[in-house]
Amino acid sequence: MYDSQPDFFTRLTLALRAFGRILTQSDFASDVLRLDRGESRPPVVEEPPKPPLRETSPDSALQLLALLQQEGRFVDFLEENVAAYSDAEIGGAARVVHEGCRKVIHDYLHLEPVRTEVEGAQLTLPAGFDAAAVRLTGNVVGQPPFTGTLMHRGWRATGITLPKIAESHDVRVLAPAEVEL
Amino acid sequence: MSEARYAVGIDLGTTHCVMAAVDLNTSDGDEVVDRIELIPQLTAPGSVEERPVLPSFLYLPHPDELRPEDRALPWGEPQPLVVGELARGMGGRTPIRLAASAKSWLCHPGVDRRAAILPVEAPDEVPRISPLDASIRYLSHLRAAWDHRHPDAPLPEQDVVLTVPASFDPAARELTAEAAAAVGLGHLVLLEEPQAALYHWILAARGEWRKQVRVGDIILVIDLGGGTADFSLIAVTERDGALELVRIAVGDHILLGGDNMDLALAHTVRAKLAESGTRLDPWQVQALTHGCRHAKEILLSDAALDAAPVVVPSRGSKLIGGTLRTELTRAEVANTLVEGFFPEVAASAHPAGRARAALTKIGLPYAQDPAVTRHLAAFLTRQLGATRDLAGFENRAPDNASFLHPTAVLFNGGVFKAPSLLRRTLNILNSWLATEHAPPARLLEGIDLDLAVALGAAYYGHVRRGRGVRIRGGTAKAYYVGVESAMPAVPGMEPPIEALCIAPFGMEEGTQAELPPQEVGLVVGEPVRFRFFSSSVRRHDQVGAVLEQWQPDELEELEEIAAILPAEDRQPGEVVPVRLHAAVTEVGTLRLEAVPRVGAESWKIEFDVRGEG
């Protein structure tokens, strides 16, 4: 932007350039028209600020999945077609999955219920309760304190300690192929 | 070593290692600040976790098997060998490259413990490792883990206490100390594991222990770990009005532990599967052993259950289709585990056979008789006279007693996490006591069965500074060398051997035995071997005593010892008369020297001589 008044030569080249652009660019032409009529430029519509969404690193997700597979054959279980088997057969395999995955959850995560009350109990949520930790359902009207029935206690991870991994370790290999020699 | 900040206890176990520390600056008397040191280790390729225990397994990977970066530890260069959890995991799939039970090999007089013999079943191209080297690797890992966490207080500058089974012979103790010295821990002290467990019990009771035992008590410590059964007797005495503890006896080296029990259960279930036509490959057997251990724990902790499911997952990715499902019944646990390992026997029972034949594996002299209770009965019977000379105990045992009567029992080791096995062992002991009209033994409780030895060892490092009760007792054995008797030779018969006592029972750390009056001849420039014996019951033999005959279970023959006189300024072949001098070092190892009649020099006598000459 020019702070001082443009001189004649500058004004001449500007007029010639504007002449060309008014003929060829309709946006530019309408802006010049507005200037000529003495209208002010419409305010630029501010884009609403983007909600702060972030990408999470897939590394720890893959690492946890590898642990669940290693200890509890989790991926094998989910990827298998259970329709072909009887409940007893699925139940036998489920013990492997349950025992192993439970070990992983207990070894690497520290979990506790969000609410300590017994499910089915009446409880009261004061104003300012943490909406991320307690979800309201059903007849959600009025103002807090809210009184309702605890349907699910919720789970909260209060700690997670995953194994440290080597710099170049490929976490995408959830379970290596095994070749017996 | 007065600047040590920590007392560090290291339990170098047959199946796992644990490291604990007591902060000496903030601990005082019974107020002790202690903790288990977490040990970073590979748990999967390229994945490092901190765990309270380091499995005592060593895996020797093929060059193409693991990328160097997947062997990286938080400290330094990737090691060529894998130690700990990953080693155990990989070894399950490839047993030919797994070195395990190095500690049992360290106390195996039948092999050269400095020779690269592990893994025993490895094919020729796998570079093997010696039992001593394997121990060095575990200690080296522990030291690196410590130094990484405590850069200001490196391990060699701390008061380190390393535990050994009470039944370890002098050669195994010396090899353990040698392994420690190889990683810079030359100043450590050895402590017997059952004593370490008792120290932990004293610590855990926080001063209340003085109310739980009284003068005249005889505490039996039963330590049943993954690979060994270890017994000790500790008497409670009084000196200057204060309670004092004296370790009066230790048991034989018995290779029998929790791993044998899990294996036995797995064999039972495998036989059951085989009857129905299902054969398992080695990978599945390992999974079955794991499953049986889990099922056993369920059955032993819940008396209402009649059976617990055992599942052997498929090896391939088809989990549901390939998984074998069976169950472990209460009857099988009762027959295999309870009746097999803890049978109700009389106090006069003796284990069948000497511990020489293999129970499960070629090579190691596993106990031939799996019955823990029979080994215990034999131990108590042999130690009947253990308190005869102890002040205050002279008239304690009734004249008609057939075995030593313990008044309290401390159990240690993972096996006793099953309360029913602990209770059964105690009940059998109490039934023996009832037969001889003695009161039942009290149960001493409150220790952590997996971690007590390391924690107790760290506490002992604190106690050694004069800040708590110490267990006295010295060496639990007297030592003898075999000398040929002066009888005229009889053709076709070996000249009879007499046993010359060179180290009496109960030598304390840092003390020396007297010089025996007898001399033996050493040949200059040649190794001269002596037969070597120990006795855990002959408490009265003094240095120089000569036994012409003895009962078979009085003396146990150990591996030969050898002295080599360097030729220096003597003629090779010359015979030099020497006397054999014994001392117990500050570390806690036995040291034997040949001392000539003249001159100030002396020569060390080696215990572990198999690889030489």
Side-chain angles (χ1 to χ4, degrees):
Chain A
M1 196 162 291
Y2 289 90
D3 290 337
S4 55
Q5 295 289 320
D7 59 23
F8 172 79
F9 186 72
T10 307
R11 292 205 302 275
L12 180 66
T13 53
L14 179 66
L16 290 174
R17 220 171 43 231
F19 178 74
R21 288 186 69 185
I22 287 165
L23 285 183
T24 58
Q25 298 174 3
S26 60
D27 284 0
F28 187 76
S30 64
D31 279 359
V32 174
L33 186 64
R34 223 173 8 249
L35 274 175
D36 192 44
R37 287 175 183 162
E39 292 169 10
S40 67
R41 203 185 158 87
V44 179
V45 179
E46 291 265 326
E47 275 193 39
K50 283 186 183 169
L53 291 180
R54 60 194 158 91
E55 298 282 333
T56 58
S57 153
D59 282 12
S60 47
L62 292 172
Q63 210 188 341
L64 187 61
L65 200 52
L67 287 167
L68 291 169
Q69 163 66 14
Q70 183 185 316
E71 298 289 335
R73 309 286 295 271
F74 187 62
V75 180
D76 287 344
F77 186 68
L78 295 187
E79 288 298 305
E80 202 162 2
N81 175 18
V82 293
Y85 299 104
S86 71
D87 284 1
E89 287 171 311
I90 296 170
R95 287 191 187 278
V96 176
V97 180
H98 180 261
E99 187 192 326
C101 293
R102 181 183 169 87
K103 181 173 181 297
V104 170
I105 296 296
H106 287 203
D107 284 359
Y108 300 98
L109 295 161
H110 190 262
L111 300 184
E112 56 185 42
V114 173
R115 302 294 309 200
T116 51
E117 295 90 345
V118 183
E119 286 175 8
Q122 293 286 314
L123 55 85
T124 302
L125 299 169
F129 70 92
D130 180 2
V134 179
R135 180 189 299 155
L136 302 180
T137 61
N139 188 24
V140 186
V141 289
Q143 297 298 319
F146 295 117
T147 299
T149 309
L150 182 64
M151 303 308 290
H152 191 291
R153 304 167 76 182
W155 290 108
R156 188 200 305 273
T158 53
I160 176 163
T161 329
L162 287 173
K164 293 193 178 76
I165 48 175
E167 193 58 52
S168 61
H169 184 73
D170 186 356
V171 289
R172 293 170 306 167
V173 178
L174 300 177
E178 279 187 34
V179 180
E180 183 136 324
L181 305 182
Chain B
M1 304 301 287
S2 54
E3 319 96 73
R5 165 90 201 272
Y6 299 97
V8 182
I10 298 176
D11 173 7
L12 191 63
T14 316
T15 53
H16 63 249
C17 303
V18 185
M19 182 158 62
V22 164
D23 189 331
L24 295 170
N25 289 358
T26 52
S27 299
D28 187 32
D30 287 339
E31 291 303 315
V32 168
V33 182
D34 66 345
R35 62 159 182 272
I36 290 289
E37 287 289 318
L38 296 178
I39 305 163
Q41 57 194 287
L42 288 166
T43 51
S47 175
V48 173
E49 275 180 61
E50 295 185 336
R51 298 258 172 110
V53 301
L54 177 75
S56 308
F57 292 86
L58 200 60
Y59 187 80
L60 305 99
H62 187 278
D64 294 332
E65 202 176 352
L66 268 184
R67 301 181 308 161
E69 54 269 35
D70 280 344
R71 296 194 302 254
L73 286 164
W75 53 86
E77 294 287 297
Q79 293 291 314
L81 306 182
V82 181
V83 174
E85 188 59 46
L86 177 61
R88 178 163 67 180
M90 294 181 79
R93 290 168 158 80
T94 310
I96 53 167
R97 290 180 174 272
L98 181 72
S101 301
K103 186 180 184 181
S104 300
W105 288 99
L106 212 55
C107 192
H108 186 358
V111 298
D112 177 5
R113 290 158 279 191
R114 287 189 175 83
I117 54 171
L118 301 179
V120 177
E121 282 143 40
D124 289 341
E125 70 158 73
V126 175
R128 296 181 192 213
I129 187 165
S130 75
L132 177 66
D133 266 336
S135 304
I136 291 173
R137 302 276 176 168
Y138 300 142
L139 286 168
S140 154
H141 187 100
L142 294 174
R143 180 184 165 180
W146 173 277
D147 290 352
H148 181 70
R149 182 180 285 259
H150 305 275
D152 310 335
L155 194 57
E157 290 172 20
Q158 313 309 311
D159 284 349
V160 180
V161 178
L162 184 59
T163 63
V164 291
S167 52
F168 250 24
D169 67 19
R173 283 172 199 242
E174 184 163 283
L175 286 164
T176 306
E178 188 179 327
V183 298
L185 306 177
H187 296 289
L188 53 66
V189 174
L190 299 181
L191 176 68
E192 292 174 0
E193 284 155 14
Q195 290 190 43
L198 191 64
Y199 275 118
H200 178 57
W201 175 77
I202 290 171
L203 173 64
R206 302 274 169 197
E208 291 293 303
W209 74 274
R210 291 183 187 83
K211 295 176 188 159
Q212 296 190 40
V213 295
R214 50 187 172 266
V215 174
D217 264 334
I218 299 170
I219 302 169
L220 167 66
V221 184
I222 302 179
D223 186 3
L224 205 50
T228 52
D230 211 8
F231 306 128
S232 285
L233 288 166
I234 294 161
V236 183
T237 63
E238 190 170 20
R239 181 190 276 187
D240 305 330
L243 288 185
E244 197 172 59
L245 298 168
V246 184
R247 198 264 287 100
I248 50 175
V250 303
D252 285 343
H253 196 60
I254 307 166
L255 289 190
L256 176 63
D259 287 2
N260 304 58
M261 299 177 191
D262 293 337
L263 218 51
L265 281 179
H267 281 301
T268 308
V269 176
R270 184 162 72 153
K272 190 163 68 176
L273 286 170
E275 272 175 31
S276 61
T278 311
R279 299 190 63 82
L280 302 182
D281 67 21
W283 186 89
Q284 288 175 306
V285 172
Q286 202 208 2
L288 178 69
T289 311
H290 177 80
C292 283
R293 182 181 306 143
H294 189 69
K296 172 198 78 177
E297 283 162 10
I298 293 172
L299 285 172
L300 290 176
S301 60
D302 186 349
L305 291 173
D306 282 331
V310 178
V311 177
V312 181
S314 69
R315 188 144 184 209
S317 67
K318 290 260 177 293
L319 181 66
I320 305 172
T323 291
L324 293 171
R325 188 183 182 285
T326 179
E327 60 178 20
L328 186 66
T329 64
R330 178 162 297 282
E332 284 160 349
V333 171
N335 287 334
T336 309
L337 194 64
V338 181
E339 292 303 327
F341 290 89
F342 300 90
E344 281 182 22
V345 295
S348 56
H350 277 277
R354 290 289 292 166
R356 285 293 175 263
L359 179 70
T360 50
K361 238 189 236 179
I362 297 167
L364 280 176
Y366 285 103
Q368 202 165 35
D369 191 330
V372 173
T373 42
R374 263 196 287 274
H375 287 284
L376 180 61
F379 169 64
L380 293 175
T381 304
R382 189 172 335 118
Q383 293 300 339
L384 173 61
T387 55
R388 201 166 286 151
D389 307 313
L390 203 60
F393 284 79
E394 294 90 343
N395 304 313
R396 199 125 194 129
D399 291 337
N400 57 354
S402 70
F403 68 98
L404 189 90
H405 295 172
T407 59
V409 192
L410 179 70
F411 289 93
N412 187 45
V415 171
F416 293 116
K417 278 194 261 184
S420 57
L421 294 182
L422 186 154
R423 194 49 66 183
R424 180 172 175 99
T425 312
L426 186 63
N427 288 346
I428 291 171
L429 173 68
N430 283 339
S431 74
W432 299 339
L433 289 166
T435 314
E436 304 200 347
H437 309 292
R442 307 190 306 281
L443 179 62
L444 303 183
E445 290 176 288
I447 69 169
D448 184 308
L449 296 168
D450 282 327
L451 309 175
V453 167
L455 286 165
Y459 175 59
Y460 174 66
H462 169 69
V463 163
R464 270 172 58 82
R465 304 180 149 231
R467 296 169 190 177
V469 69
R470 277 182 74 166
I471 303 171
R472 295 190 303 112
T475 52
K477 287 180 177 170
Y479 294 96
Y480 308 79
V481 291
V483 289
E484 286 180 12
S485 82
M487 273 171 59
V490 179
M493 270 185 69
E494 260 189 82
I497 284 280
E498 293 176 344
L500 165 65
C501 180
I502 53 169
F505 203 93
M507 283 179 71
E508 300 272 357
E509 282 161 22
T511 63
Q512 305 205 345
E514 292 162 39
L515 276 172
Q518 294 88 343
E519 289 181 330
V520 294
L522 287 193
V523 186
V524 173
E526 291 178 16
V528 176
R529 288 159 186 266
F530 298 95
R531 289 174 69 181
F532 190 43
F533 301 88
S534 71
S535 174
S536 61
V537 290
R538 297 190 63 99
R539 290 154 205 276
H540 300 288
D541 290 340
Q542 293 304 308
V543 171
V546 175
L547 315 184
E548 289 171 8
Q549 51 194 348
W550 53 86
Q551 299 298 316
D553 61 350
E554 263 189 321
L555 254 60
E556 183 190 8
E557 180 153 16
L558 305 172
E559 196 182 1
E560 284 186 336
I561 55 175
I564 303 167
L565 228 58
E568 286 163 11
D569 43 354
R570 290 190 173 80
Q571 288 292 334
E574 184 190 341
V575 175
V576 178
V578 296
R579 293 191 286 176
L580 300 177
H581 184 219
V584 177
T585 64
E586 294 290 345
V587 170
T589 54
L590 185 69
R591 186 182 166 86
L592 296 181
E593 285 175 327
V595 182
R597 193 181 298 166
V598 289
E601 52 186 344
S602 60
W603 299 280
K604 192 179 173 212
I605 297 178
E606 303 292 340
F607 292 115
D608 185 44
V609 292
R610 192 162 291 266
E612 293 162 19

